[in-house]
Amino acid sequence: MKEEKIIKVPNGYFMLFLSLVLIVGGIYGFVTFDIVFIVAVIIGIFLLPGFFLVNPNTSKVLLLFGKYVGTVKDNGFFWANPFYTKRKISLRASNFDSERVKVNDKLGNPIMISTILVWRVQDTYKAAFDVDNFENFVRVQSDAAVRKLASLYPYDNFADEGLDEDITLRASVNEVSEALEQELSERLAMAGIEVLEARIGYLAYAQEIANAMLKRQQATAIVAARHKIVEGAVSMVEMALEELSKKNIIDLDEDRKATMVSNLMVILCSDKDATPVVNTGTLT
């Protein structure tokens, strides 16, 4: 037997009634009639260990002297051979939040990462017999999968260094989650585990480079903001010169235009409020 086998077992209520009849009737016959009725009592007591319950979203794996007999997944009160060994395996969805581990991303940067996994047992035979402890197997394989995933993608893009990746751990949430789910499904299939959801639960640079990377991100943001500011300032200066020329408000030679452009660029690009100076003389 190398795969799960679903079996049906007798209803427990009927067998309970039969056991009580044998026990009570045997005691009554033993007291009233003959010692031979003690056999009925013994049979009734022998039947008692065969009773078991199967709660919703749980199962019972049945073994007879080390041989797999089958799995009961129906819910209710049942009876089976008293010699059967009954092992309970939950079929409920379980949530696993892994510990934060330090790994290197594709670019070699140390990062802290963890995964959140939602899983459940799909094949009770594989979960019970193909691995030693399927719950521990899930934990170990989840750790291995997230380490492998982190090594396949960079934490973030560094376009200024020519490292522009299509998929990154920080930005490509859906793509990374799909890759992680696929990796875990392949690893846990041998244990009969179905992966319902897998995603990154925590992601950050390791402490030793976190401050440096934060400064880098801030510098990149500042440069990008300055670029926008300069671009807007040039556009505003160009518009001002065009309007002055179009409406003949003032005739500016090249030196005065250069002075005006310089003053406007300083005012528009400065990160502090400008202090105006009133010129009471000429423009020169």
Side-chain angles (χ1 to χ4, degrees), residues 120-138:
R120 67 183 175 192
V121 175
Q122 187 176 42
D123 190 313
T124 57
Y125 178 86
K126 292 181 178 181
F129 307 115
D130 282 358
V131 294
D132 184 44
N133 184 322
F134 68 88
E135 293 181 342
N136 184 63
F137 186 81
V138 170

Side-chain angles (χ1 to χ4, degrees), residues 198-262:
R199 58 186 175 86
I200 300 299
Y202 178 84
L203 180 66
Y205 282 113
Q207 187 175 1
E208 57 266 27
I209 67 168
N211 290 333
M213 288 301 179
L214 178 60
K215 291 179 180 179
R216 179 193 179 97
Q217 291 173 350
Q218 290 174 340
T220 302
I222 291 173
V223 170
R226 289 293 182 184
H227 182 272
K228 289 293 183 181
I229 290 174
V230 171
E231 183 179 350
V234 170
S235 177
M236 293 176 68
V237 169
E238 182 181 7
M239 181 181 64
L241 292 176
E242 288 180 357
E243 291 297 320
L244 288 173
S245 176
K246 184 187 300 183
K247 296 182 180 180
N248 294 322
I249 296 177
I250 188 172
D251 187 16
L252 298 175
D253 57 21
E254 294 301 321
D255 291 338
R256 290 180 177 179
K257 284 183 179 180
T259 301
M260 179 180 176
V261 169
S262 175

